[in-house]
Amino acid sequence: VALTMATRALLKKGNAAAAAAAAAVSTATAVTFLSEDVVHPLELPWEHLGLFSSYDHAALRRGFQVYRQVCATCHSVEGIHWRELVGVTHTTKELASMAAEADYVDGPNDDGEMFERPGKLSDPLPKPYENVEQGRAANGGAMPPDLTLMVKARHSGQDYLFSLLTGYCEPPAGKPMLPGLYYNPYFPGGAISMPPPLSDGGVEYDDGTVATISQQAKDVVQFLNWTSEPEANERKKNAMIYMFVLGFTALSTGYYKRFKWSPLKTRNISYLKAEQLK
């Protein structure tokens, strides 16, 4: 919609070439055929995906808050432990306090019985359901998936999740919806059992950021991107070091090659006749 409005504005100003370019971008970004049952998400400019970019830790903190207060009621993030969030979203003291709020089953004790204890930093983030059957029973037969690798498990992961969270709307005419299902054009088939999870002002950010639906979706998607690649920042740093070492090695090898071969390539070979050797 924004690109279409921009195209119209350019046309009004008489800039036909720029309008044509904007129209090409808007049509090439996401193409959906009428025969398909899903709308493809637009490609969004995620800053943390840049070669020299890192995660926005303020956004990760907000995204973790959205996950805890909204998503964690149905979805788990089993691949992440409390200790892995230290220095990423919160301090050690803050996370230890959060972990202690949850009860974990541990044991057996000396009597051979299981017991509950407060959470520790070494524990994974708590699950909303004890088992798959309990999760399905609480959600009309559909088990909410684990979100640890959700960004990697879906095509155009970040774009898809953001579009899904912000794409709820009324079904078009002729699209019947069964009870307990909600219309979302970005979900295959258009019918999803998850109700709209986000609402304006649904959470209150500690840093004063206005918690609109799009802001919450952006923050939680960045957090889920981190859960799928918590090593991304470190990998980019190491890649820079490796590229520097490879460049230095290439220059050193080239210099050494020229140094060793220069006497052979610059020598002058003279051939003498036999009588000249006498």
Side-chain angles (χ1 to χ4, degrees):
V1 176
L3 285 173
T4 303
M5 295 177 64
T7 304
R8 292 176 180 174
L10 290 172
L11 283 173
K12 289 181 180 180
K13 295 180 179 180
N15 196 339
V25 171
S26 64
T27 55
T29 302
V31 178
T32 301
F33 297 98
L34 295 177
S35 59
E36 297 182 283
D37 63 348
V38 64
V39 175
H40 299 293
L42 296 175
E43 184 177 351
L44 303 174
W46 299 97
E47 295 180 357
H48 62 274
L49 297 181
L51 184 62
F52 301 100
S53 303
S54 63
Y55 289 116
D56 180 359
H57 287 268
L60 295 181
R61 183 184 179 99
R62 294 193 301 266
F64 180 54
Q65 181 180 350
V66 174
Y67 167 75
R68 287 192 70 205
Q69 298 183 9
V70 180
C71 308
T73 56
C74 298
H75 295 274
S76 61
V77 182
E78 298 182 13
I80 299 298
H81 296 70
W82 291 103
R83 64 171 178 265
E84 297 176 69
L85 296 169
V86 174
V88 177
T89 62
H90 295 78
T91 63
T92 303
K93 184 177 180 180
E94 290 173 328
L95 289 169
S97 177
M98 293 180 189
E101 296 175 1
D103 293 328
Y104 290 81
V105 177
D106 204 346
N109 56 17
D110 294 339
D111 297 327
E113 297 179 353
M114 304 299 289
F115 61 94
E116 289 189 350
R117 59 164 177 79
K120 301 180 295 185
L121 290 178
S122 58
D123 293 319
L125 297 184
K127 299 184 295 184
Y129 306 109
E130 295 292 336
N131 47 60
V132 175
E133 289 72 17
Q134 185 184 38
R136 288 176 176 171
N139 293 276
M143 177 62 185
D146 181 81
L147 299 180
T148 307
L149 300 176
M150 185 56 64
V151 170
K152 295 300 180 183
R154 297 293 184 269
H155 180 66
S156 301
Q158 297 94 342
D159 302 331
Y160 168 75
L161 291 180
F162 181 86
S163 300
L164 184 72
L165 292 173
T166 59
Y168 285 89
C169 59
E170 293 295 326
K175 177 69 174 180
M177 300 298 296
L178 295 176
L181 297 180
Y182 304 86
Y183 180 71
N184 193 314
Y186 296 99
F187 189 77
I192 184 173
S193 59
M194 180 177 69
L198 304 177
S199 60
D200 290 328
V203 299
E204 185 176 351
Y205 287 136
D206 298 332
D207 59 2
T209 302
V210 180
T212 60
I213 292 178
S214 59
Q215 181 66 54
Q216 296 174 62
K218 177 184 177 183
D219 293 336
V220 75
V221 168
Q222 290 194 63
F223 173 71
L224 293 179
N225 196 156
W226 176 85
T227 63
S228 65
E229 286 186 303
E231 79 291 346
N233 287 350
E234 193 66 26
R235 188 175 67 243
K236 291 179 181 180
K237 292 179 182 179
N238 292 336
M240 294 301 299
I241 297 175
Y242 299 153
M243 294 303 295
F244 176 78
V245 173
L246 286 175
F248 179 77
T249 303
L251 292 175
S252 301
T253 303
Y255 176 79
Y256 182 75
K257 177 257 183 186
R258 292 178 64 86
F259 175 77
K260 295 295 292 185
W261 281 86
S262 59
L264 299 177
K265 289 188 174 183
T266 58
R267 65 182 176 178
N268 186 16
I269 300 178
S270 300
Y271 295 92
L272 300 177
K273 295 180 179 181
E275 56 272 14
Q276 293 178 322
L277 297 176
K278 296 181 182 179

